[in-house]
């Protein structure tokens, strides 16, 4: 019996190991602190990029047009059977990537020209053009770069890519449309385009929210009721009632205009939002600690826009999971937002601080 029990234990352990999620391959030349690692991991996990046999990704090499065709074919799930021959003079049917190149041309991503130039580089303007065509990106609000005018090839596509937060250009206000793209940057742009999401992260005023709250400051646990109070001509103001004792909590301010979400604690000395992000969301770093803006010294990374989480006994899907780290304090905050509901869970260094227990209609 002892032998059988030990065997069962081994089987169970092996089974548990087998069902653990499979994470992205670790490339020798892509460190975990690389600001584009989230996007690269995303593509690896989905088989869109595979790197080289020696375990490298060569992130700083220029991406070729053929590699772009392969990545977009995989990302979009384009069919590579019975493709129509685009008759590029430099892409015979025997070319190793003929099917992918033909598939992307058939899909209208690349134009029907005499030559495809499969080993040629892709400029940042070219990137904007192919991504706009591939993912049908739209942008209506103005977005300005000092080196992009209406005469710039890909002008409208560059604005569309920028307005979807796929790229913000450079800190000096330029876009550098003629600059060749690296493999890392193109991978990041593809992953961002694939994960675009524009959720409403606000709490719904039609409901009262009940949260379990663990206070890192005093180590105590509270039950908090959030009730919509009014709009102060800019923010939705939510009053917080402490159901555990009479400890006072300041009101919460939430701002949302479709392109920005922000939250703050209502205090007399508050001069900025504690959490401020642009929409739409996409995976990767969206706020860098060196950026100028309402929140300085923080890094905010979108881990996923379609995750899952359990809170208050409810399993939520299509969850936006954001991670915030700080330059000056040793804490990592993880936020779980659900479209139309708002924050359902928040962790500090892996410990649950906020958890939505229930919503009650007013």
């Amino acid at each position: 019996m002892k032998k059988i029990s030990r065997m069962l234990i081994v089987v169970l352990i092996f089974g548990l190991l087998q069902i653990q999620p499979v994470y992205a391959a670790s490339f020798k030349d892509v460190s975990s602190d690389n600001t584009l690692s989230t996007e690269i991991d995303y593509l690896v996990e989905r088989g869109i990029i595979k790197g080289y046999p020696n375990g490298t990704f060569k992130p700083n090499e220029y991406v070729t047009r053929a590699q772009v065709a392969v990545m977009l074919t995989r990302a979009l799930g384009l069919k590579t059977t019975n493709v129509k021959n685009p008759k590029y003079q430099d892409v015979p049917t025997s070319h190793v990537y003929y099917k992918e190149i033909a598939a992307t041309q058939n899909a209208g991503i690349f134009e029907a020209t005499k030559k495809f130039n499969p080993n040629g580089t892709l400029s940042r303007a070219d990137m904007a053009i192919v991504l706009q065509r591939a993912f049908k990106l739209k942008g209506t609000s103005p977005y300005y770069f000092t080196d992009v005018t209406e005469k710039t090839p890909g002008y409208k596509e560059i604005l569309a890519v920028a307005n979807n937060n796929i790229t913000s250009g450079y800190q000096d206000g330029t876009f550098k449309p003629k600059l060749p793209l690296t493999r890392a940057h193109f991978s990041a742009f593809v992953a961002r385009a694939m994960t675009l999401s524009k959720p409403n992260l606000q709490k719904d005023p039609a409901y009262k929210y009940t949260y379990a709250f663990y206070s890192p400051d005093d180590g105590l646990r509270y039950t908090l009721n959030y009730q919509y109070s009014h709009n102060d001509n800019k923010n939705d103001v939510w009053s917080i009632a402490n159901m555990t004792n009479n400890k006072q909590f300041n009101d919460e301010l939430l701002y949302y205009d479709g392109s920005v979400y922000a939250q703050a604690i209502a205090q007399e000395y508050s001069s900025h939002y504690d959490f401020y992000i642009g929409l739409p969301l996409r995976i990767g770093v969206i706020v860098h600690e060196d950026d100028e803006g309402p929140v300085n010294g923080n890094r905010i990374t979108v881990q996923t826009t379609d995750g899952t989480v359990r809170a208050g006994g409810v399993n939520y899907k299509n969850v936006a999971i954001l991670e915030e780290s700080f330059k000056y304090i040793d804490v990592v905050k993880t936020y779980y937002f659900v479209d139309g509901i708002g924050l359902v869970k928040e962790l500090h260094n892996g410990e649950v601080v906020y958890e939505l227990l229930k919503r009650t209609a007013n």
Side-chain angles (χ1 to χ4, degrees), residues 35-286:
T35 56
L36 304 180
S37 63
T38 300
E39 294 96 318
I40 292 172
D41 282 354
Y42 179 87
L43 297 187
V44 173
E45 290 167 0
R46 285 154 184 79
I48 295 169
I49 56 176
K50 299 177 181 178
Y52 292 88
N54 64 356
T56 63
F57 180 65
K58 301 182 181 179
N60 298 321
E61 283 194 359
Y62 293 140
V63 69
T64 67
R65 291 168 58 84
Q67 290 170 348
V68 167
V70 173
M71 290 172 63
L72 291 179
T73 295
R74 293 171 180 168
L76 298 171
L78 299 179
K79 293 182 179 180
T80 56
T81 56
N82 300 320
V83 290
K84 183 180 178 181
N85 190 340
K87 297 182 179 180
Y88 290 124
Q89 294 177 1
D90 52 357
V91 184
T93 56
S94 59
H95 191 283
V96 63
Y97 297 130
Y98 162 76
K99 292 182 178 180
E100 289 85 352
I101 292 170
T104 50
Q105 189 280 329
N106 293 175
I109 298 171
F110 287 106
E111 296 178 353
T113 55
K114 290 184 178 179
K115 293 186 177 182
F116 181 73
N117 192 15
N119 296 320
T121 59
L122 198 77
S123 71
R124 288 172 57 85
D126 293 334
M127 171 275 295
I129 292 171
V130 298
L131 288 188
Q132 190 281 325
R133 292 173 179 171
F135 296 96
K136 307 295 188 291
L137 301 175
K138 297 181 180 179
T140 54
S141 59
Y143 201 108
Y144 301 104
F145 295 107
T146 58
D147 57 350
V148 175
T149 69
E150 293 184 2
K151 295 181 180 180
T152 302
Y155 168 73
K156 292 183 179 179
E157 292 86 351
I158 291 171
L159 296 190
V161 168
N163 277 284
N164 282 282
N165 292 332
I166 292 172
T167 180
S168 57
Y170 291 85
Q171 288 188 338
D172 61 0
T174 62
F175 180 74
K176 304 186 190 307
K178 296 181 180 180
L179 187 70
L181 266 183
T182 64
R183 285 167 52 82
H185 278 103
F186 186 73
S187 297
F189 296 147
V190 170
R192 294 169 189 174
M194 292 177 66
T195 57
L196 281 177
S197 175
K198 198 170 186 179
N200 181 354
L201 306 181
Q202 290 232 84
K203 293 180 175 66
D204 187 340
Y207 291 85
K208 179 169 63 179
Y209 287 62
T210 301
Y211 284 93
F213 172 60
Y214 167 73
S215 172
D217 295 331
D218 58 23
L220 299 177
R221 299 185 182 277
Y222 304 94
T223 299
L224 306 179
N225 277 349
Y226 284 63
Q227 177 74 52
Y228 175 76
S229 175
H230 65 282
N231 187 284
D232 63 4
N233 295 320
K234 183 178 182 181
N235 306 287
D236 280 355
V237 180
W238 287 74
S239 59
I240 304 173
N242 182 358
M243 307 305 292
T244 303
N245 56 35
N246 293 323
K247 181 177 180 179
Q248 184 67 36
F249 282 83
N250 292 305
D251 292 343
E252 181 181 65
L253 306 181
L254 298 180
Y255 176 75
Y256 175 83
D257 68 356
S259 60
V260 169
Y261 170 81
Q263 62 186 40
I265 298 173
Q267 300 179 77
E268 291 183 2
Y269 58 83
S270 292
S271 60
H272 65 267
Y273 291 102
D274 300 304
F275 191 73
Y276 187 95
I277 58 175
L279 300 172
L281 292 179
R282 45 71 174 178
I283 66 168
V285 176
I286 59 172

